[in-house]
Amino acid sequence: MRTITCRQAVNEALREELARDSRIVMIGEDIGPYGGNFKVTEGLWREFGDARVLDTPISENGICGVGLGLAITGMRPIVEVMFSDFTANAMDQLVNQAAKIRYMSGGQVTPTMVVRTVIGGGRSSAAQHSQSLHAWFMHVPGFKIAIPSTPYDLKGLLKAAVRMDDPVMFFEHKMAYNMQGEVPDGEWLIDFGKADVKRAGDDVTVVATSLMVYRALAAAEKLESEGISVEVVDPRTLIPLDMDTIAASVRKTGRVVIVDEGHVTCGVGAEIAARIAYDCFDYLDAPIERVGTLDVPIPFSPPMENYVVPSEDDIVFAVKKAAR
Amino acid sequence: MAVPDNKLQIEMLRKMMLIRAFEEKIKYLFTRGAMAGFSHLYDGQEAVAVGGCAALTRDDYITSTHRGHGHCIAKGGDVAKMMAEVLGRRTGYCKGKGGSMHIFDASLGILGANGIVAGGLPMGTGAGLKAKLTGSGQVTMCFFGDGTTNQGTFHESLNMAGLWRLPVVYVCENNGYGISVSQARHQAIRDVAVRAEGYGMVGAIADGNDVLDVYEKASAAVERARRGEGPTLLECKTYRYGGHHVGDPGTLYRSNEEVAAWRAKDPIPRMIAHVLDSGVMTRAEVDTLKAEVDAEIEAAAAYSLESPLPEPEEALDDLFIGFRATGREGRGARGGCAAGAGRAECGGAEGRPRA
């Protein structure tokens, strides 16, 4: 086993896939010589050139639509949108076009494209560079959605996404890029719709996504010393969502906390909570707890930002509440 | 200068007649309550779609608009499958999922009509990027109206196409109105083509009611594109006879005199006069052509009206590959997986079989 960062995991996946399939074209802002805003695409332009790794003007709606045009004419584009906040600029091409073109055309074409974008607070980037907007895309049928946490999951899911024919929204967390994890040698792919139990436990189930998986694991460590055994389930993909694994855990523990960095209202936690309530109604011993970003825009100044975005302590508090 | 041979001239006249007859039939069916929804008709603008698409080959791409019947017919679309789609039938181009605004024929390079103004431009630009990256020699023609030129994606798309010298022809069919708002009330310029300079591409203006003029200028643009000399913004000045859609009489914002003045420049009689004057066709041949076109449209209407409507549960198909979405409980369809789908495809509310 070797240890790599999440940044390296994404970079390796992109490099290997570009080398494997000449139909893959990456387009996005500053992904070329600059190496990407988060240095995730570093070295790819030097290796593959403009024909495969193409810097675009700052035109998010246009870029996503150009990706769609590539996708329905035989290419396999990977589009980078620098921050998930900027997907707001691209909503027509993503929501009204890419998500619907297969259905509207009666299945004549499938937009084989991956849109990679970056979520998360924690860097004092303020309200327009810190949002976690992945739940928006759960609300619109037409995208598969991945939101991995570890280097192993990022690499395996990104390679699977690139090879998948259906369109994929792929969410990476800016504060996870430096996180390290062990990965095997050789190639691996991870199926969409397969959750991973990151830590086994008996008392409370914590369903956590992306960076929140790390915080949930740290919280579980702390709670262990206080006598509460926490199971951490990482869904890894939201569409499809592996309810079987989540429900199996909840039926075992009877108590559940859902931690996702999107805003609480109408967030991922709301959807998962509703499904747990339906699927596991007779097994629940406590109300379902949700931990997410508070329902205000994300403030700039660190004391306020750290209060608004979920912390390890917030998870500990919610688990104790659920365990009461 | 591109001069169409006799055969092509006759074909262009036939296509214009076919579009006109198609739209007349839709109007008839709509006013008799035979179709759902609404439909934006193309009558009056036929010369733009026909002259533009006559410059393309079968392998080339087009993107279209909410007013898209003309473009699809001009690119070779099957009028029976089109009408069946407009009438919501299972035999339609999109199995009834698209309707008038989303007719699509991947086999003919028709990358969809589009319900969003300017929605097709980025996609068409992407098809142009594909042609450039692969050296396929294909050209993309994006059709859109004057209203589109005020959308952000118009700017984003033409900027990228100019920058990368993409083989795309942007055809603005300037019919003078964005829904009900006249061009004088929606932008400060009269000629959309002047915007070409801002994107480093060639701008040209054609008489959009003269199919030969449109064909000549579109051919020049297509040839430039195929030679690798980049995109063109071709503005075709034309007019729509009806309102914005079938239910809009179009009388609140335009005068009868204005409509009459444009009807006097109708592209179909003009082309008929041309083929008669130049000896390409006789009057009897024109009459026969018209009768054949009418018969084709009658057959398309009969086929469509006889075609079955979709079963409600067919709404659950075609979202993802090998997948059927969850149906409504208590109403028959129970969702679950399409045959052959992997377990992972079935997780979640988007396809969860209920125990």
Side-chain angles (χ1 to χ4, degrees):
Chain A
M1 295 286 244
R2 57 198 180 101
T3 299
I4 62 172
T5 64
C6 286
R7 176 182 289 102
Q8 283 172 295
V10 176
N11 185 278
E12 285 182 11
L14 293 170
R15 173 178 284 105
E16 289 171 18
E17 292 304 298
L18 280 164
R20 184 186 61 80
D21 187 343
S22 63
R23 296 170 300 173
I24 295 171
V25 179
M26 289 177 54
I27 60 173
E29 296 158 6
D30 305 292
I31 64 171
Y34 188 67
N37 190 57
F38 294 97
K39 301 297 172 200
V40 168
T41 58
E42 207 157 46
L44 300 181
W45 178 80
R46 239 187 344 272
E47 190 173 337
F48 296 96
D50 269 342
R52 307 291 305 286
V53 182
L54 182 59
D55 270 332
T56 63
I58 300 168
S59 305
E60 288 83 9
N61 210 8
I63 296 165
C64 289
V66 165
L68 175 57
L70 289 166
I72 60 172
T73 56
M75 307 296 278
R76 301 182 78 93
I78 303 171
V79 179
E80 179 172 316
V81 177
M82 195 183 285
F83 292 88
S84 81
D85 312 67
F86 303 171
T87 63
N89 298 52
M91 274 301 183
D92 173 53
Q93 291 298 315
L94 293 176
V95 169
N96 284 327
Q97 312 292 341
K100 296 176 174 55
I101 197 162
R102 180 170 209 281
Y103 188 86
M104 289 192 302
S105 69
Q108 290 185 57
V109 290
T110 301
T112 300
M113 66 193 284
V114 178
V115 178
R116 294 178 42 244
T117 191
V118 178
I119 60 171
R123 273 173 48 124
S124 288
S125 305
Q128 297 169 342
H129 292 72
S130 303
Q131 295 172 92
S132 300
L133 298 173
H134 43 283
W136 282 2
F137 297 90
M138 290 179 80
H139 192 67
V140 179
F143 289 112
K144 300 285 176 76
I145 301 175
I147 185 163
S149 56
T150 64
Y152 178 86
D153 291 349
L154 275 160
K155 188 170 177 185
L157 277 166
L158 183 52
K159 288 173 73 97
V162 169
R163 298 180 194 193
M164 185 181 287
D165 289 332
D166 291 316
V168 176
M169 294 294 301
F170 197 93
F171 293 92
E172 301 162 17
H173 198 293
K174 58 173 78 74
M175 298 301 284
Y177 279 137
N178 287 334
M179 296 291 192
Q180 297 188 334
E182 285 193 338
V183 295
D185 293 323
E187 184 171 275
W188 68 96
L189 301 173
I190 298 173
D191 286 344
F192 275 53
K194 292 259 194 295
D196 186 42
V197 178
K198 296 292 190 205
R199 177 194 171 105
D202 300 318
D203 300 331
V204 178
T205 297
V206 173
V207 179
T209 61
S210 193
L211 186 75
M212 294 301 121
V213 172
Y214 297 93
R215 296 208 175 145
L217 288 169
E221 201 65 35
K222 190 179 285 181
L223 288 157
E224 185 76 53
S225 63
E226 299 180 30
I228 300 174
S229 168
V230 174
E231 178 149 301
V232 178
V233 180
D234 178 355
R236 301 197 291 195
T237 65
L238 299 173
I239 306 284
L241 181 65
D242 180 2
M243 272 310 292
D244 290 350
T245 300
I246 294 170
S249 178
V250 174
R251 285 183 189 127
K252 179 172 67 172
T253 63
R255 298 165 193 276
V256 59
V257 176
I258 305 160
V259 192
D260 177 83
E261 202 178 322
H263 292 292
V264 174
T265 299
C266 293
V268 169
E271 179 60 29
I272 295 177
R275 295 198 202 178
I276 290 171
Y278 192 86
D279 290 354
C280 311
F281 186 74
D282 294 332
Y283 295 85
L284 289 171
D285 296 322
I288 300 167
E289 293 289 333
R290 284 183 289 161
V291 181
T293 294
L294 301 179
D295 286 333
V296 292
I298 296 168
F300 163 72
S301 184
M304 289 193 289
E305 182 184 26
N306 292 338
Y307 173 70
V308 164
V309 173
S311 68
E312 188 185 313
D313 289 344
D314 295 326
I315 300 169
V316 167
F317 181 83
V319 169
K320 285 182 174 172
K321 213 170 140 196
R324 265 208 298 268
Chain B
M1 192 178 106
V3 180
D5 62 21
N6 291 0
K7 196 175 155 216
L8 183 55
Q9 287 188 41
I10 295 167
E11 177 59 12
M12 290 199 291
L13 176 59
R14 189 185 75 82
K15 285 260 178 69
M16 288 200 293
M17 287 175 166
L18 194 62
I19 296 169
R20 181 70 55 93
F22 186 92
E23 300 296 54
E24 295 293 343
K25 179 56 78 177
I26 296 293
K27 214 180 301 178
Y28 173 86
L29 292 168
F30 184 88
T31 50
R32 270 149 194 80
M35 62 172 280
F38 49 94
S39 205
H40 308 85
L41 302 187
Y42 196 69
D43 48 328
Q45 305 183 191
E46 293 89 346
V48 182
V50 171
C53 288
L56 300 174
T57 69
R58 188 188 164 97
D59 289 340
D60 291 327
Y61 297 112
I62 67 164
T63 66
S64 174
T65 69
H66 58 287
R67 200 176 304 290
H69 302 165
H71 310 128
C72 296
I73 293 173
K75 189 67 170 59
D78 177 334
V79 290
K81 287 171 80 175
M82 283 179 63
M83 198 168 292
E85 186 61 34
V86 174
L87 295 184
R89 306 297 159 135
R90 182 194 279 157
T91 54
Y93 259 120
C94 313
K95 306 183 224 169
K97 292 199 171 73
S100 167
M101 283 190 287
H102 302 291
I103 293 171
F104 203 109
D105 187 341
S107 70
L108 293 171
I110 299 171
L111 303 181
N114 208 302
I116 304 294
V117 169
L121 265 68
M123 214 185 298
T125 305
L129 180 57
K130 173 258 181 171
K132 170 147 184 169
L133 291 175
T134 60
S136 70
Q138 291 160 294
V139 171
T140 302
M141 189 170 280
C142 296
F143 291 100
F144 54 89
D146 47 301
T148 286
T149 65
N150 300 328
Q151 286 277 37
T153 41
F154 171 83
H155 172 68
E156 295 183 23
S157 299
L158 271 71
N159 180 57
M160 284 188 268
L163 173 71
W164 295 327
R165 314 294 295 156
L166 300 183
V168 183
V169 182
Y170 295 94
V171 178
C172 175
E173 33 198 15
N174 183 351
N175 66 14
Y177 290 86
I179 306 183
S180 71
V181 178
S182 67
Q183 191 192 7
R185 297 174 68 224
H186 76 60
Q187 59 190 192
I189 53 170
R190 296 281 64 79
D191 294 330
V192 167
V194 301
R195 293 195 172 168
E197 194 179 340
Y199 304 113
M201 67 175 72
V202 175
I205 297 175
D207 178 348
N209 278 31
D210 178 355
V211 72
L212 296 172
D213 194 45
V214 174
Y215 174 75
E216 181 191 326
K217 283 157 186 165
S219 296
V222 168
E223 283 162 24
R224 269 196 299 278
R226 280 203 221 283
R227 286 197 303 265
E229 294 169 20
T232 300
L233 173 56
L234 172 60
E235 178 185 9
C236 302
K237 310 263 195 193
T238 185
Y239 200 75
R240 62 163 209 250
Y241 289 161
H244 176 56
H245 50 71
V246 186
D248 166 27
T251 50
L252 290 174
Y253 48 90
R254 357 182 261 189
S255 66
N256 292 337
E257 293 74 25
E258 182 181 295
V259 179
W262 277 97
R263 280 192 181 273
K265 295 188 276 189
D266 192 307
I268 295 174
R270 279 172 79 178
M271 187 58 179
I272 291 172
H274 171 80
V275 293
L276 293 176
D277 292 349
S278 57
V280 172
M281 295 178 85
T282 64
R283 172 55 71 181
E285 287 168 338
V286 170
D287 291 345
T288 303
L289 188 66
K290 177 75 170 79
E292 286 168 1
V293 161
D294 288 344
E296 189 176 347
I297 294 299
E298 285 307 319
Y303 169 80
S304 304
L305 291 167
E306 287 160 14
S307 289
L309 288 162
E311 292 300 323
E313 295 81 10
E314 289 173 42
L316 307 175
D317 297 329
D318 292 323
L319 182 64
F320 297 123
I321 295 165
F323 171 83
R324 170 166 261 213
T326 302
R328 199 171 285 289
E329 246 183 304
R331 279 227 256 148
R334 305 270 295 188
C337 301
R343 183 67 190 83
E345 304 290 311
C346 310
E350 70 288 348
R352 184 159 48 118
R354 281 226 177 278

